[in-house]
């Protein structure tokens, strides 16, 4: 059982760092509270949907910003949707980048929007990688016969 203890410690330390570094906020904890024995994969399923939607939105944003005449209302609508979905899973840094992005949309500032898109891509792939690592740790704990620790921020 020593391996379980090590994995649980790794999980707690990694989870704590995600909150400390601003990748996740209390909304992610709320999401975890909705998971129970009847739906043990709830958080993973919701986050997987977020990943799918996010990649479509990022592609839509890249396409919209490459047009001869940029429709900033359309760009803003995509960013607004991204902000909502990132907020709903607690992806704080992604949500914050969407707020900045929307300001550039409002100003019709193409250079600012392109910079934000680049940063948004970066923040999204960072949080995706970190959440995939978190889910991998959870699976390893369960496969080793342990229970996943409850994190309280």
């Amino acid at each position: 059982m020593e391996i379980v203890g090590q994995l649980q410690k790794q999980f707690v330390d990694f989870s704590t760092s995600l909150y400390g570094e601003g990748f996740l906020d209390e909304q992610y904890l709320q999401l975890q509270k909705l998971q129970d024995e009847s739906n043990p994969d709830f958080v993973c399923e919701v986050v997987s949907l977020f990943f799918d939607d996010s990649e479509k939105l990022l592609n839509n944003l890249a396409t919209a910003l490459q047009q001869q005449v940029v429709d900033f209302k359309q760009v803003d609508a995509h960013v607004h949707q991204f902000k909502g979905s990132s907020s709903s899973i607690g992806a704080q840094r992604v949500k914050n980048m969407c707020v900045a992005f929307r300001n550039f949309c409002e100003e019709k500032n193409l250079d600012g929007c392109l910079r934000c898109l680049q940063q948004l891509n970066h923040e999204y792939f960072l949080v995706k990688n970190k959440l995939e690592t978190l889910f991998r740790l959870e699976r390893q704990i369960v496969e080793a016969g342990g229970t996943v620790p409850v994190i309280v921020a």
Side-chain angles (χ1 to χ4, degrees), residues 1 6 19 22 54 66 73 86 93 120 136 139 145:
M1 274 314 242
Q6 289 172 349
Y19 293 99
S54 296
Q66 290 170 358
K73 279 191 191 283
S86 59
R93 284 169 50 165
L120 188 57
R136 195 167 35 257
R139 278 193 307 277

Side-chain angles (χ1 to χ4, degrees), residues 20 27 29 54 57 70 73 77 91-93 104 109 139 150 153:
Q27 185 59 39
L29 293 172
S54 296
L57 285 167
V70 174
K73 279 191 191 283
Q92 185 176 4
R93 284 169 50 165
F104 285 115
N109 180 333
R139 278 193 307 277
V150 176

Side-chain angles (χ1 to χ4, degrees), residues 69-87:
V69 177
V70 174
D71 181 349
F72 286 98
K73 279 191 191 283
Q74 180 191 38
V75 172
D76 185 61
H78 291 314
V79 176
H80 181 70
Q81 186 179 348
F82 204 175
K83 179 179 168 240
S85 61
S86 59
S87 181

Side-chain angles (χ1 to χ4, degrees), residues 81-151:
Q81 186 179 348
F82 204 175
K83 179 179 168 240
S85 61
S86 59
S87 181
S88 71
I89 69 146
Q92 185 176 4
R93 284 169 50 165
V94 172
K95 177 190 74 176
N96 292 345
M97 185 50 55
C98 288
V99 171
F101 201 149
R102 290 193 74 197
N103 290 334
F104 285 115
C105 287
E106 209 172 282
E107 297 167 5
K108 296 180 174 24
N109 180 333
L110 182 58
D111 287 339
C113 286
L114 290 168
R115 280 194 310 276
C116 277
L117 178 59
Q118 189 175 21
Q119 189 63 31
L120 188 57
N121 262 302
H122 177 74
E123 289 296 339
Y124 164 71
F125 283 105
L126 272 176
V127 79
K128 180 179 183 195
N129 182 286
K130 298 213 180 257
L131 285 168
E132 286 172 341
T133 300
L134 193 65
F135 295 147
R136 195 167 35 257
L137 278 169
E138 286 180 5
R139 278 193 307 277
Q140 289 172 335
I141 291 168
V142 171
E143 287 167 4
T147 55
V148 177
V150 176
I151 304 298

Side-chain angles (χ1 to χ4, degrees), residues 39-59:
N39 198 352
D41 297 325
F42 177 75
V43 174
C44 192
E45 289 168 5
V46 169
V47 170
S48 290
L49 290 172
F50 167 72
F51 291 160
D52 292 344
D53 288 347
S54 296
E55 294 186 23
K56 287 177 195 152
L57 285 167
L58 287 167
N59 286 331

